[in-house]
Structures are given as structure tokens and as C-alpha cells.
Amino acid sequence: MEVVILSGITPLASLAADAIGALLRRKPDAVLGLAAGSSPLPVYEELALRHGRDGLDFSQVRGFALDEYVGLPPGHPASYREVIRREFTERLNISPANVHGPDGAAADIPAACQAYEDAIRAAGGVDLQLLGIGTDGHIGFNEPCSSLASRTRIKTLVEQTRRDNARFFGSPAEVPHHVLTQGLGTILAARHVILLAAGAQKARAVRDLVEGPVAAICPASVLQLHPHATILVDEAAASSLRLADYYRHSFDNKPAWQGL
Ligand code: F6R
């Protein structure tokens, strides 16, 4: 696990965009795992900039969203399908047909979850997965005590998560109780994961993710088992890390050829 601590979300987003750019140059039809929420938005912003300015090409890219609310009407502005469409798909030269998400409106939820797993596998698996982290340590919508081996399925949101996400809805009561999410096992199968966290409200979750035991009480801690996990945090989110100086020292002395 590599932990990179920088002054703010903008330089962190730039690093994540560097990694995506390098991947697309190496593999133009790469499969990207896409998170919603606030944390990845500066990365999408940076990718849109590089697409317009440098011609970063998404024409062959495939994308798979991490999660989706259950029961929102089609086109609801807070649905993750809409967020990904607005923030990512519409700003790049990626075919909308190549961007997928779990079907939160499916009549048969277990079948939709299995179909999503099958679609990811048929695409060859995720090359690079972007992640945020919840204040309770969730990744995707794998809330505390999710199975560390879980695959895409329905989950019930913790009330704290519903409160955290109320800012995207008209009122807290409108936040659905249920979601479909890639499982922790699904996320672990991505070849590279990049998690972004900014702000003091994420400090405890980041500490538990990086330096706590691997335990389902902090679902993100499962990333300690991933062979290529990159944790990008600003100073506030890093403020509870015991080995922060070591992480800074390692990054400052990293061989230039290595990338993320
Ligand atoms: C979003 C997702 C969630 C968020 C997390 C943090 O697709 O899977 O795990 O990444 O809730 O949300 P923000 O970034 O809004 O703080």
C-alpha cells in the first residue's frame, strides 16, 4: 500500500489523472472503475481538461460504476448513473454505451447483481478503480461488517451514511435506504485501486484503513490485502496517521520512473 500525502485535493487529483493517462497510453481500451460522491470529482475535472487540452483519448475506454441507489426514478440527479454521466461520460469522448452501472431499478435485484459481475468479468476485469471512503470506512457502499469476500449485491445504508449523503438530495428523508454495490471481493479484483480522501472528517477512517487491523468493521482496511493500492490523502485526512512522516519521506524519495 502506498500512502501519498499532499497539501490538497487538486494535486492529488492530478496524480490520479497521471496514473489514468499512463494507463490509457499503455492500454487504450482500459477498463476504469468509477466512483461517485465528491471525492473523485476533481479527477474527472482534470481528465476533462487533459482530454480537451492534450487529446487524452477515451474512445475505446470501458467504465463500470461502483454502486447505485435502489429505487430512484430514472434520471434522478442524485443517482450515480446521472452523476457519472454528468461528471465523466459527457465531458470525454467515451461512448455512453461503454459506461455501465448496477441497475438499481431492476425487478430482480440478485439477477441484476450477478449480471453486473458477469459484465465486469467479460470486459476483462477493472484495470484501475477509483474509490472514495465514507466516514465509517465504507468503500463502494460496503458498510461496516460487509464480508471481505463480498461481490455485487444489495446493502442497507448506515444512517450516518444517509446523513452524509443528504447534501445531494432535497432532504435527508429522500436518501434511499438501499443500494447496490460492488463487493469488497469485486473491488479487490481490480488490478490497481486509487482511493482519494480529503478533509478532517475522513481522518479516522483513513487511519483505520491504513494502520488499523484488517477487519470488516472498517471495510476499507481490506485494501491492505491488495497488491497495488494507492491512498491519496490531503493533510487533514492524514492527520491521524502515525507513520505520516514515513509516507512523506517514501514519496519524496520515490524513483521518478515508478509512477503510482
Ligand atoms: C461512491 C462511493 C462511496 C463514496 C463515499 C465517500 O460511489 O462508492 O463509497 O466514495 O461515500 O463519499 P464522498 O466522496 O462524497 O465523501
Side-chain angles (χ1 to χ4, degrees):
M1 175 175 280
E2 178 178 27
V3 181
V4 180
I5 305 170
L6 295 179
S7 57
I9 190 71
T10 306
L12 295 170
S14 177
L15 271 189
D18 288 347
I20 293 171
L23 170 66
L24 297 193
R25 282 186 287 279
R26 201 166 66 239
K27 185 176 180 187
D29 64 346
V31 177
L32 299 181
L34 305 167
S38 317
S39 305
L41 298 185
V43 181
Y44 300 148
E45 182 77 40
E46 184 64 25
L47 292 177
L49 183 82
R50 294 181 190 200
H51 168 62
R53 189 190 60 200
D54 311 331
L56 185 61
D57 181 19
F58 290 79
S59 58
Q60 299 177 60
V61 168
R62 281 86 41 85
F64 286 88
L66 259 181
D67 41 17
E68 181 57 284
Y69 293 104
V70 170
L72 291 182
H76 190 291
S79 80
Y80 283 176
R81 188 176 296 255
E82 278 300 297
V83 173
I84 298 291
R85 186 185 61 72
R86 275 197 314 268
E87 304 292 340
F88 181 79
T89 315
E90 275 200 342
R91 304 161 85 184
L92 304 167
N93 65 330
I94 186 169
S95 163
N98 284 349
V99 182
H100 311 276
D103 184 1
D108 185 341
I109 294 275
C113 292
Q114 185 58 53
Y116 199 59
E117 287 280 327
D118 294 345
I120 294 173
R121 200 167 300 116
V126 171
D127 291 297
L128 190 155
Q129 176 68 59
L130 286 175
L131 296 171
I133 185 169
T135 53
D136 63 0
H138 69 237
I139 51 174
F141 272 137
N142 294 281
E143 294 285 28
C145 296
S146 288
S147 158
L148 301 184
S150 49
R151 312 300 302 199
T152 303
R153 69 214 183 291
I154 191 166
K155 286 294 288 180
T156 304
L157 290 179
V158 166
E159 284 299 279
Q160 178 62 44
T161 303
R162 292 186 65 245
R163 281 193 291 277
D164 287 346
N165 287 5
R167 66 190 192 281
F168 300 116
F169 290 80
S171 72
E174 290 173 45
V175 184
H177 287 273
H178 293 109
V179 290
L180 302 188
T181 181
Q182 288 189 30
L184 295 171
T186 319
I187 293 169
L188 279 186
R191 286 179 270 278
H192 183 193
V193 300
I194 297 182
L195 182 146
L196 292 112
Q201 74 282 8
K202 300 288 174 78
R204 190 172 59 99
V206 166
R207 183 199 60 202
D208 292 348
L209 146 67
V210 175
E211 297 176 343
V214 176
I217 194 72
C218 176
S221 66
V222 78
L223 296 179
Q224 293 178 32
L225 299 174
H226 195 287
H228 192 182
T230 306
I231 312 300
L232 302 178
V233 284
D234 72 355
E235 292 288 349
S239 58
S240 296
L241 290 173
R242 280 176 50 206
L243 298 186
D245 287 344
Y246 171 61
Y247 308 137
R248 286 193 191 92
H249 174 79
S250 302
F251 186 68
D252 290 346
N253 292 286
K254 193 172 173 176
W257 52 264
Q258 211 174 12
L260 283 186

